[in-house]
Amino acid sequence: MGSIAKIGFFSSKHLLQTALVSNPQCIASITNYPMPKNYKDIIIPEKNKLRMLEKVPQYPPGIRPPKCGKRLMDIRGPELVHNKLLHDQYGVIALTGGYIRFGHLEMIRNVINKKMDVKNMFAVWRIDAPWKPITKKGQGKSMGGGKGSINHYVTPVKAGRVIFEVGEIGRAHV
């Protein structure tokens, strides 16, 4: 029988909810940072919405796009460089390593840009556009015949990598 762990979800004003969880290994937490009192050091970029990323990387004319191996070192282990928030406000951080497709990035961009207040908020990508080619052989092909053609491109992400950041200015949290 598993142990019972008591967790609470807190806001800056009061306790919202207390729950009993029977599996203490899978616990999500919310961290509330205090709003800065001085907004002079926060600069909103000119283009405050998330920009559209390229679906396919552009190569110079006459150069064939290279095919890539698995290179699992791109997704294994913790992220050592891009693991801190630059604007110290809000962001999405990858919990495990993996590949992010263009469709995932486009879904994130559409939702954030739709829900964002453009006068007081900004959002910034912290990952590159999809650059790693993933190959796939056609259905019904027999073994052999070399490496398959490029099917799509992905962005490899390690655990702890910041995917994007969202910030705001002058809005009090309730």
Side-chain angles (χ1 to χ4, degrees):
M1 184 169 152
S3 61
I4 304 291
K6 188 174 183 181
I7 63 168
F9 301 99
F10 296 93
S11 76
S12 59
K13 297 283 184 184
H14 60 282
L15 176 67
L16 290 177
Q17 178 183 6
T18 303
L20 290 176
V21 177
S22 61
N23 187 1
Q25 290 121 3
C26 302
I27 294 178
S29 64
I30 298 173
T31 305
N32 289 313
Y33 296 105
M35 288 292 292
K37 298 201 174 14
N38 185 1
Y39 300 104
K40 292 178 183 174
D41 61 339
I42 299 174
I43 300 170
I44 292 184
E46 287 181 17
K47 297 182 179 180
N48 53 356
K49 289 189 171 187
L50 288 176
R51 63 182 170 84
M52 186 169 182
L53 299 175
E54 293 180 350
K55 186 174 185 176
V56 177
Q58 298 296 319
Y59 293 102
I63 295 181
R64 206 173 77 202
K67 297 177 183 176
C68 207
K70 283 194 185 286
R71 287 187 55 179
L72 293 177
M73 65 182 182
D74 290 339
I75 62 172
R76 286 192 178 160
E79 178 65 42
L80 301 175
V81 179
H82 302 286
N83 55 5
K84 301 273 191 263
L85 297 174
L86 294 177
H87 302 286
D88 293 328
Q89 290 197 18
Y90 306 100
V92 172
I93 298 175
L95 294 177
T96 61
Y99 297 120
I100 300 178
R101 288 184 170 199
F102 174 76
H104 302 146
L105 296 173
E106 193 63 17
M107 180 188 61
I108 291 169
R109 186 184 71 85
N110 287 336
V111 170
I112 294 297
N113 288 345
K114 187 189 299 184
K115 302 285 183 184
M116 189 171 66
D117 177 20
V118 293
K119 294 178 184 175
N120 297 325
M121 298 176 74
F122 64 92
V124 180
W125 285 116
R126 292 286 306 276
I127 58 173
D128 298 328
W131 59 268
K132 184 176 180 180
I134 302 295
T135 58
K136 189 174 182 182
K137 295 192 98 166
Q139 185 178 0
K141 295 278 184 174
S142 57
M143 298 290 284
K147 194 169 178 81
S149 59
I150 294 175
N151 187 18
H152 61 277
Y153 290 86
V154 295
T155 300
V157 174
K158 289 187 175 188
R161 172 75 188 243
V162 177
I163 298 174
F164 69 92
E165 286 190 55
V166 178
E168 64 180 330
I169 291 182
R171 196 166 173 186
H173 290 291
V174 179

